[in-house]
Amino acid sequence: MPQRSTRRGFLTVTGAAAALAVTGNLPEIERADAGSTGRPDRRDPFTLGVASGDPLPGAVVIWTRLAPEPLAPFGGMDRRPVSVQWQVAEDEHFRRVVRHGTTQARPEASHSVHVDVRGLRPWRHYWYRFRVGNQLSPVGRTRTAPADDQTVPVLTMAFASCQAWWEGWYTAHADLARREHDVVFFLGDYMYEFGIDRGIRPHSNEDYVTRETVTLDEYRNRYASYKMDPDLQAAHASAPWVVTMDDHEVINNWADEAHPSAPPAQFLVRRANAFRAYWEHMPLRLAQLPKGPDMQLYRRIRFGRLAEFSVLDTRQYRSDQAYGDGSKAPGPETLDPARTLTGAEQERWLLDGWTASQARWNVLAQQNALAQLDVKDGPEILVPMDTWDGYAASRDRVLGGAHQRRIRNLVSIGGDLHRSVASDLKLNFADPDSPTVGSEFVGTSITSGLDGMDLDPGGATLLRENPHIKFGNFQRGYVSCTITPRRWISDYRVVDRVTVPNGTVSTRAQLLVEDGRPGIQKL
């Protein structure tokens, strides 16, 4: 996307910042000091856990951040680089260490480390850990992707979104961790930027929760407050994550350079702060390191010949919301082909990738609902302007392009709605007899929206007014998927209550898509 004039004042990444991510071929060293003072530091530096992400056939990113006092300035660390040792092993007891090295946790990256471990074997489980001085991190479990031409009999995958910390306990993450998926996709709203009066969790009236995040330090502190949660740490440690952001990682319903909270130049400073803190706290590669207010987030993750995931960024390049946002009737603005949700370059990348794909399942991993959502009872149609409904021409190009290219087994996974919605993706949503191009599973929130219920009035309206919607639910949870060459099964895992610890998790629905037969079926 071309640089706009309001971005020209930002410096691009140079050597010091580029050194924040390293490859995994550094030589082993005897020991790593906790700092340059010469004094041992017995505080636990691994209070935010460990994570891995973006698996490739021979590589995976492993992450941690040193923060002995996670809510203190700089996480309680001195403003100096710290040597961090890392190990990757074929067994959880580290008897067969296959890769090891040392990297630097630097203060300019909030003492986070992103190690791009190379030279691993495809489609293998590995365990990893970090060490600073005599302090060992928790152990994480990860898995590389299969070789691109490998036949994969089964892939287990989970996806989740929207985890407002103050609105509930992360019971869904504890369940997700226990199921030990091959990969987890987190589709946005990892944290929330706005201030609150107080929440239901202990300490949710503290300043670090109630204050709105604007500065880099405030964004860093908000991530730390979320990542202290043991269930979230367990979910990260259970499998590699593939992440993309939605709006609340910056500010509610932002669109490219536009947000009513500030003029574009001022907003881009905030966006740059948010992007920087996001990268520091996610298991992302150097390719995703922000350059000021710009960040390359859309990318592909392949699992052999079984599945290819196109991970989208539907915030950074979108046109401003039509008709002032909210839920409105479709009109000339929503149908305007000049307006876009993805930007022209990302749209071409998506369609060209589908054309070249040899995968059995072609998956769109994105932030919200691709299907039409008429939210009003009766003949009048009202749709949300912030979803693909507000960019109908953009959606038509994507679904029309998939139909014209005869894309095999198109599946969209999304979030943002704080409800579960499973839909048939129609070439023309106004015509129930229109061809079904693909299938969509939108997952509910981890906690956002409090406990919810099985079916609320809004969900009942969606089912009545949208015949392509085959399932709806308004509880909290996530989606656990089992993918084989012949079938895709989505288990909608729901929590009875998130407003108390240790709620009960159950499967509310099992939904099926069969190879070569687009559309949702109930099991």
Side-chain angles (χ1 to χ4, degrees):
M1 181 179 180
Q3 291 277 337
R4 299 190 182 183
S5 60
T6 48
R7 299 182 188 173
R8 291 174 185 163
F10 287 90
L11 297 176
T12 56
V13 176
T14 55
L20 299 177
V22 299
T23 56
N25 57 358
L26 297 181
E28 185 179 29
I29 65 171
E30 295 282 328
R31 63 187 292 269
D33 293 331
S36 58
T37 63
R39 300 189 301 273
D41 191 337
R42 293 181 173 84
R43 300 175 301 167
D44 178 13
F46 301 110
T47 58
L48 304 183
V50 299
S52 68
D54 276 24
L56 299 175
V60 70
V61 177
I62 60 174
W63 170 95
T64 193
R65 179 190 163 202
L66 308 183
E69 299 175 42
L71 300 178
F74 296 96
M77 296 290 293
D78 292 336
R79 299 183 191 182
R80 300 167 181 169
V82 176
S83 294
V84 181
Q85 293 177 313
W86 56 269
Q87 290 179 314
V88 175
E90 293 181 335
D91 67 296
E92 59 187 317
H93 302 294
F94 290 82
R95 297 189 181 98
R96 299 188 302 278
V97 174
V98 294
R99 290 290 182 272
H100 54 77
T102 302
T103 187
Q104 293 288 307
R106 297 179 179 272
E108 58 265 33
S110 199
H111 290 96
S112 63
V113 296
H114 304 68
V115 183
D116 192 352
V117 184
R118 299 280 170 160
L120 302 175
R121 297 170 64 183
W123 206 222
R124 288 291 303 267
H125 283 113
Y126 290 96
W127 286 260
Y128 62 95
R129 65 185 179 186
F130 301 89
R131 179 179 174 179
V132 173
N134 294 320
Q135 299 276 10
L136 280 175
S137 75
V139 173
R141 170 186 178 270
T142 192
R143 189 170 195 177
T144 53
D148 288 344
D149 61 351
Q150 187 172 341
T151 299
V152 179
V154 62
L155 170 70
T156 61
M157 181 269 291
F159 67 92
S161 63
C162 305
Q163 53 183 21
W165 176 86
W166 73 92
E167 289 199 320
W169 273 261
Y170 289 163
T171 308
H173 275 311
D175 185 75
L176 185 155
R178 286 191 291 268
R179 289 167 78 94
E180 294 191 333
H181 302 84
D182 295 323
V183 65
V184 175
F185 286 79
F186 198 89
L187 302 177
D189 294 347
Y190 190 97
M191 67 85 172
Y192 286 75
E193 86 295 350
F194 53 78
I196 62 167
D197 293 330
R198 69 165 295 118
I200 65 157
R201 287 218 204 190
H203 309 295
S204 59
N205 62 336
E206 300 286 347
D207 180 67
Y208 65 85
V209 179
T210 59
R211 176 191 300 175
E212 183 172 359
T213 59
V214 177
T215 69
L216 176 56
D217 285 343
E218 288 167 345
Y219 279 107
R220 285 169 167 170
N221 220 32
R222 186 63 51 88
Y223 280 105
S225 68
Y226 277 56
K227 295 182 82 72
M228 289 165 61
D229 184 274
D231 293 329
L232 178 57
Q233 289 189 19
H236 270 297
S238 71
W241 281 39
V242 178
V243 300
T244 188
M245 69 167 64
D246 193 18
D247 55 339
H248 287 290
E249 289 89 349
V250 181
I251 189 171
N252 183 50
N253 284 12
W254 66 279
D256 194 6
E257 297 181 4
H259 195 271
S261 63
Q266 185 177 337
F267 170 67
L268 284 179
V269 173
R270 181 174 185 173
R271 193 173 108 174
N273 291 336
F275 281 13
R276 180 70 184 196
Y278 182 79
W279 185 85
E280 289 174 352
H281 289 85
M282 296 296 123
L284 290 166
R285 285 191 166 82
L286 182 61
Q288 279 68 56
L289 179 66
K291 297 179 180 179
D294 297 303
M295 186 177 190
Q296 177 63 49
L297 267 180
Y298 65 85
R299 60 205 189 278
R300 288 192 180 90
I301 305 292
R302 297 183 178 92
F303 290 88
R305 292 185 175 271
L306 180 63
E308 180 176 281
F309 291 78
S310 298
V311 183
L312 293 194
D313 176 349
T314 60
R315 286 288 161 192
Q316 203 170 164
Y317 316 106
R318 68 158 68 194
S319 306
D320 202 0
Q321 289 87 350
Y323 302 116
D325 212 347
S327 291
K328 306 289 173 56
E333 279 195 52
T334 63
L335 300 174
D336 183 355
R339 298 182 68 258
T340 176
L341 190 68
T342 62
E345 182 178 330
Q346 185 177 192
E347 184 180 291
R348 285 193 299 270
W349 168 87
L350 175 63
L351 294 175
D352 290 348
W354 281 348
T355 301
S357 173
Q358 298 183 20
R360 182 68 60 96
W361 300 92
N362 290 282
V363 190
L364 195 60
Q366 47 92 41
Q367 289 76 3
N368 47 50
L370 188 58
Q372 179 175 293
L373 303 176
D374 180 4
V375 300
K376 184 174 177 58
D377 278 310
E380 184 183 1
I381 296 177
L382 293 182
V383 293
M385 294 295 103
D386 192 56
T387 72
W388 288 82
D389 274 325
Y391 306 81
S394 210
R395 175 173 62 197
D396 289 347
R397 289 192 297 269
V398 168
L399 291 181
H403 182 66
Q404 291 167 6
R405 290 162 173 79
R406 299 182 179 179
I407 301 304
R408 186 174 188 175
N409 296 334
L410 172 62
V411 176
S412 169
I413 59 175
D416 184 59
L417 303 182
H418 303 176
R419 64 172 69 248
S420 300
V421 180
S423 308
D424 294 347
L425 295 175
K426 309 295 286 186
L427 191 62
N428 179 4
F429 287 100
D431 179 8
D433 296 324
S434 175
T436 298
V437 178
S439 312
E440 179 166 68
F441 300 105
V442 173
T444 186
S445 58
I446 292 287
T447 52
S448 304
L450 303 172
D451 289 330
M453 62 189 74
D454 185 60
L455 189 64
D456 66 321
T461 297
L462 286 174
L463 289 172
R464 283 193 298 269
E465 296 299 314
N466 302 275
H468 51 275
I469 295 180
K470 305 303 179 183
F471 170 72
N473 174 268
F474 191 52
Q475 293 170 281
R476 311 282 77 84
Y478 72 102
V479 185
S480 178
C481 304
T482 303
I483 307 166
T484 71
R486 296 182 58 191
R487 308 203 309 172
W488 176 307
I489 297 175
S490 289
D491 290 356
Y492 274 85
R493 301 284 289 170
V494 301
V495 187
D496 63 341
R497 296 184 67 192
V498 297
T499 53
V500 296
N502 304 314
T504 300
V505 185
S506 61
T507 297
R508 173 60 182 82
Q510 275 196 323
L511 304 178
L512 166 70
V513 179
E514 293 181 290
D515 174 36
R517 185 182 175 188
I520 305 290
Q521 304 175 54
K522 292 184 179 180
L523 287 178

